[in-house]
């Protein structure tokens, strides 16, 4: 029994402190590839326990790695310097869904999909919809400022965080923001905590904005002769004054994989596929869908599938999910890079991806949120644990990120920096911004115990 | 000629440095009551000039007060410790309106209304709409994270700021964010700068998100027997799954002033008035307006004015503006407090305002953004420059803010803290958050030269 374990058992009921092999194993990794053992796992049950752990950790300079559902894609919660893996997964209560105030108050371990369902039961809506919403948690969503397809119309996680309870690096309990829908009281510490990847504080409660649920939604799935035609349609839809709730694009490589997996006959023709979702009142959605269909026909769509209600939409979304499965079905490992480009550079990106594929021999599949330029660019590699293959893949990712940064893009739109994007963070931020990151980090976490070894450490 | 003036003339062309009585007079005050003379006024023309001034100011520990259009409501830019009034009003170019990327790139002195018009000419939309949009500037909007009626549906300024060029306290030029619609690269310094009231950096350029302009809008103006009935209608509209683009409420005092000013016959009956604006496609708006009208009738609206297109909407908005003029017409000084309450407490707030009026003899007019609980609570006082009246008014404001904070409200939703709300900031933030504000301020502005004397200084 280490001293750390024994000390923590004084602060947190012993049944919530673990050094079991199984718990260590689970907490050494997220959905990315890096892994490292924590010395101890703490399953916090209350804010006060988190505060007690942080007081102790700060005093003794013990690294603390906060973890929600552990489904991050960049190794953000991996305890690279050992210490404490602080799980908030069991702080998973929806404390309140209050339609009168338009807020939901939740603990960080609440699964995002559960919150959506709880709001929906009352006719209200929590829009942020990361693809992993059935397994990811609100705490992780806040830590990475998670996005999703519907963020095009509705905005990302930070736009729904009205207030937070945060335990600071020194173990104090802080409330920022609150349950008001507007708040200009001081600096925007609420949003600073959003996306801070466990490096500035530990979120122990969130007060989230919910909005009236749109009465219905509808979708069109349209195939085009090539990616350029589909990208042109994206811009034409927006230029027509339409802001869809989602606008998803898929490239030729992904479609080919889907044809292979689902059968040629189950996929539309063409080398690009566009999904457009709209929502609103029943009558409005019906008439708008008609107009949108005509617009897509004018834009040269080869075939259009129409989903006139929510159940039918689900089928088109299933196709979207099947694209992911199709890529997995190739037997290759999918390195999913959530890059973003200015929307006018969608075609340039896909052309670059084709060139990258030619130059490196690594297949590249592009699909994602076309409306906001956030295209998941998937490098399909063989065994990533093979050092030779890994080196080749990493070199290809480097080429991709270099191109993205040279074209005013961002190396991460949704997943965060974590370990995966750490090698590029200085280049991405530039020296002045990087220095300001350091200044803020040092001011708020003077001993550097919150998630050390990530993008602000050498 | 002071040494400061002479030194600044070495850094900035002499014609852009002023100690003229007129320039000093203009730069000693905003729209609030406090005033203080700057030693020198600098009219920056370029980012490099701003950087040179900051390098100098940091070295010599000279206070710098950044100023946009000077239409703030809380004394936020008042140079209470002298030094340099740094005007960015002449950095007023719209550099780009790029619908392909969905961004506008602007200098900080651009008038908000001009940006809206420039976007509109291309069929696109910059939604944040502070009441002063014809005279306020984007720099000031960013500094205060400005709101407005349409923020109910579309969100406040920060939700449109994708990237910033910022000159730091030490005179370095920093770029944060960019022209991507999603960006998770590091901490959200872009949003930290939004609403930082000139205390953390100087914004010299903004890259703002624009969206497709809704095809049309329509409005209903509905009068109700009392405020409770109108507030109940607000909730009923949202519960029906409708998210209006604006939802404005007016109380009995304001209506009485308007009747006095505009004539009884020009105002609807009832002691509360609700304005509901919706926007979208022409066909949709038409059918939704019909449904909304039936809903308001069911909710007991006494009379409903219908505005079926944008031109007609403008008439209802004119009535909204006339409410302000009516209050001015009373001959009293309007102390406009932009408080926010959780939406379910709208009626409690107005009841409290009535009680406050009885207790203090100061009339209180409430109107504003009902959908997000942001009710402008106007204390109508006689000569505010009279110390006796001022003391009485200040005591009433203190009662109001104390009540607001006790009821989970915010003392400012749109205007910022500045000098006006400084006495309540510690109470509003709580000790841990206040300390974190200090830590960040000290880290980013170690010599305390950016807007000193405001809410983080004793």
């Amino acid at each position: 029994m280490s001293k750390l374990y024994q000390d923590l058992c004084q602060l947190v009921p012993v049944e919530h402190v673990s050094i079991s092999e199984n718990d260590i194993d689970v907490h050494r990794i997220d959905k990315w590839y890096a892994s490292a053992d924590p010395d101890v796992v703490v399953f916090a049950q209350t804010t006060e326990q988190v505060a007690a752990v942080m007081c102790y950790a700060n005093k003794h300079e013990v690294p603390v790695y906060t973890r929600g559902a552990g489904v991050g894609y960049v190794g953000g919660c991996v305890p690279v310097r050992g210490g404490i893996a602080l799980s908030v997964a069991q702080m998973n209560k929806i404390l309140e869904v209050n339609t009168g105030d338009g807020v939901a108050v939740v603990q960080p371990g609440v699964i995002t999909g559960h919150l959506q369902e709880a709001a929906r039961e009352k006719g209200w809506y929590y829009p942020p919809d990361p693809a992993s919403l059935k397994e990811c948690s609100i705490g992780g969503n806040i830590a990475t400022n998670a996005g999703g397809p519907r963020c095009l119309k509705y905005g990302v996680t930070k736009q729904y965080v009205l207030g937070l309870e945060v335990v600071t690096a020194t173990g104090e309990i802080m409330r920022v923001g609150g349950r008001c829908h507007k708040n200009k009281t001081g600096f925007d510490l609420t949003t600073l905590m959003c996306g801070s990847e466990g490096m500035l504080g530990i979120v122990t409660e969130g007060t989230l904005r919910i909005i009236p649920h749109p009465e219905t939604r509808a979708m069109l799935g349209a195939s085009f002769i090539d990616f350029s035609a589909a990208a042109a349609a994206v811009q034409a839809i927006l230029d027509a004054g339409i802001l869809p709730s989602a606008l998803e694009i898929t490239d030729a490589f992904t479609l080919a994989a889907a044809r292979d997996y689902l059968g040629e006959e189950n996929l539309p023709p063409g080398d690009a596929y566009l999904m457009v979702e709209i929502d609103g009142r029943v009558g409005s959605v019906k008439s708008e869908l008609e107009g949108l269909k005509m617009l897509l026909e004018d834009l040269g769509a080869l075939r259009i599938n129409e989903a006139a209600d929510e159940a039918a939409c689900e089928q088109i979304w299933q196709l979207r999910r099947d694209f992911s499965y199709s890529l997995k079905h190739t037997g290759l490992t999918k390195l999913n890079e959530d890059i973003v480009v200015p929307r006018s550079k969608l075609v340039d990106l896909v052309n670059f991806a084709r060139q990258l594929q030619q130059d490196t021999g690594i297949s590249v599949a592009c699909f994602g949120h076309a409306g906001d330029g956030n295209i998941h660019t998937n490098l399909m590699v063989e065994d990533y644990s093979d050092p030779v293959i890994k080196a080749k893949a990493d070199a290809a990712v480097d080429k991709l990120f270099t191109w993205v940064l040279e074209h005013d893009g961002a190396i991460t739109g949704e997943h965060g920096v974590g370990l995966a994007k750490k090698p590029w963070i200085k280049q991405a931020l530039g020296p002045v911004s990087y220095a300001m990151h350091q200044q803020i980090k040092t001011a708020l976490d003077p001993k550097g115990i919150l998630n050390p070894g990530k993008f602000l450490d050498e």
Side-chain angles (χ1 to χ4, degrees), chain A:
Chain A
M1 297 293 166
S2 69
K3 179 161 187 315
L4 176 61
Y5 174 78
Q6 288 173 335
D7 286 351
L8 289 169
C9 288
Q10 302 298 313
L11 302 171
V12 176
V14 60
E15 66 270 26
H16 302 309
V17 185
S18 175
I19 47 174
S20 82
E21 201 174 306
N22 184 51
D23 285 331
I24 298 289
D25 265 7
V26 167
H27 291 80
R28 60 200 304 277
I29 192 162
D30 63 0
K31 297 285 180 190
W32 200 60
Y33 304 90
S35 71
D37 285 356
D39 294 314
V40 183
V41 179
V42 173
F43 297 95
Q45 310 293 312
T46 66
T47 301
E48 289 67 31
Q49 287 174 5
V50 173
V53 169
M54 287 312 301
C55 275
Y56 172 88
N58 187 56
K59 186 175 171 193
H60 298 281
E61 302 196 21
V62 181
V64 178
Y65 296 89
T66 313
R67 183 187 176 96
V71 295
Y73 293 147
V74 292
C77 65
V78 173
V80 285
R81 296 191 182 166
I84 302 166
L86 180 61
S87 172
V88 293
Q90 294 176 12
M91 294 175 71
N92 60 359
K93 288 187 194 64
I94 297 175
L95 302 171
E96 190 183 350
V97 176
N98 186 325
T99 60
D101 289 343
V103 301
V105 183
V106 299
Q107 292 187 317
V110 167
I111 300 300
T112 307
H114 294 172
L115 169 61
Q116 285 197 342
E117 287 159 17
R120 184 66 195 264
E121 277 168 22
K122 299 196 174 192
W124 284 63
Y125 188 29
Y126 176 73
D129 58 344
S132 57
L133 65 87
K134 286 183 183 166
E135 49 176 351
C136 66
S137 64
I138 292 292
N141 289 181
I142 292 171
T144 58
N145 189 19
R150 299 206 176 98
C151 296
L152 172 63
K153 177 172 178 178
Y154 289 106
V156 293
T157 299
K158 69 177 175 179
Q159 281 151 23
Y160 293 85
V161 182
L162 298 176
L164 292 173
E165 181 185 75
V166 175
V167 173
T168 68
T170 53
E172 290 182 285
I173 299 170
M174 175 173 78
R175 286 203 161 263
V176 288
R179 59 197 296 134
C180 289
H181 285 234
K182 279 183 187 159
N183 198 336
K184 218 341 256 118
T185 314
F187 304 149
D188 195 347
L189 300 189
T190 309
T191 306
L192 181 64
M193 290 295 158
C194 288
S196 65
E197 301 192 24
M199 294 167 67
L200 298 179
I202 298 174
V203 171
T204 49
E205 189 186 290
T207 302
L208 308 174
R209 180 167 69 106
I210 54 174
I211 61 176
H213 202 289
E215 200 174 24
T216 192
R217 52 177 61 118
M219 282 184 97
L220 297 176
S223 58
F224 286 88
I225 192 160
D226 59 20
F227 194 89
S228 294
V234 167
Q235 186 63 30
I237 289 167
L238 298 168
D239 281 336
I242 300 167
L243 183 59
S245 49
L247 196 43
E248 301 281 305
I249 203 165
T250 307
D251 77 347
F253 182 93
T254 310
L255 285 170
R259 287 190 181 102
D260 193 44
Y261 176 58
L262 299 168
E264 180 79 36
E265 67 283 8
N266 292 312
L267 270 289
D271 272 352
Y273 192 67
L274 192 64
M275 299 175 179
V276 193
E277 187 193 77
I278 57 173
D279 63 11
R281 313 296 290 174
V282 169
S284 309
V285 167
K286 197 176 169 194
S287 72
E288 288 174 25
L289 196 69
E290 212 44 51
L292 195 56
K293 197 177 168 188
M294 287 182 344
L295 177 63
L296 291 175
E297 281 164 358
D298 289 348
L299 291 164
L302 300 176
R303 190 189 295 171
I304 300 177
N305 294 334
E306 192 170 329
D309 58 28
E310 280 202 71
C313 286
E314 202 33 48
Q315 289 178 18
I316 295 190
W317 283 116
Q318 185 56 45
L319 181 61
R320 168 77 157 75
R321 283 188 287 270
D322 281 337
F323 290 151
S324 276
Y325 296 130
S326 305
L327 293 178
K328 277 182 195 154
H329 183 68
T330 60
L332 301 170
T333 297
K334 188 177 79 165
L335 299 179
N336 175 350
E337 307 301 345
D338 61 319
I339 57 157
V340 196
V341 290
R343 196 174 53 236
S344 65
K345 289 175 181 159
L346 284 176
V347 174
D348 295 345
L349 169 65
V350 170
N351 289 342
F352 172 79
R354 288 290 71 78
Q355 189 61 46
L356 187 66
Q357 181 167 328
Q358 277 187 26
D359 294 349
T360 63
I362 296 172
S363 300
V364 185
C366 297
F367 65 93
H369 320 312
D372 44 27
N374 181 200
I375 299 296
H376 291 264
T377 303
N378 301 282
L379 277 66
M380 307 301 299
V381 299
E382 290 166 39
D383 185 4
Y384 191 67
S385 62
D386 177 329
V388 176
I389 291 173
K390 183 175 184 303
K392 201 175 124 187
D394 289 350
V397 170
D398 185 54
K399 279 188 181 155
L400 172 65
F401 287 174
T402 302
W403 184 91
V404 164
L405 291 175
E406 281 170 353
H407 290 78
D408 295 327
I411 58 173
T412 170
E414 303 186 309
H415 299 166
V417 180
L419 293 167
K421 315 283 169 86
K422 179 177 169 180
W424 296 273
I425 191 68
K426 280 190 181 176
Q427 193 184 343
L429 293 176
V432 184
S433 172
Y434 188 79
M436 191 175 279
H437 276 74
Q438 295 280 10
Q439 288 158 357
I440 291 173
K441 172 68 172 169
T442 304
L444 269 47
D445 178 18
K447 294 188 177 172
I449 57 168
L450 279 171
N451 205 4
K454 300 297 157 63
F455 68 83
L456 291 179
D457 292 304
E458 300 299 328

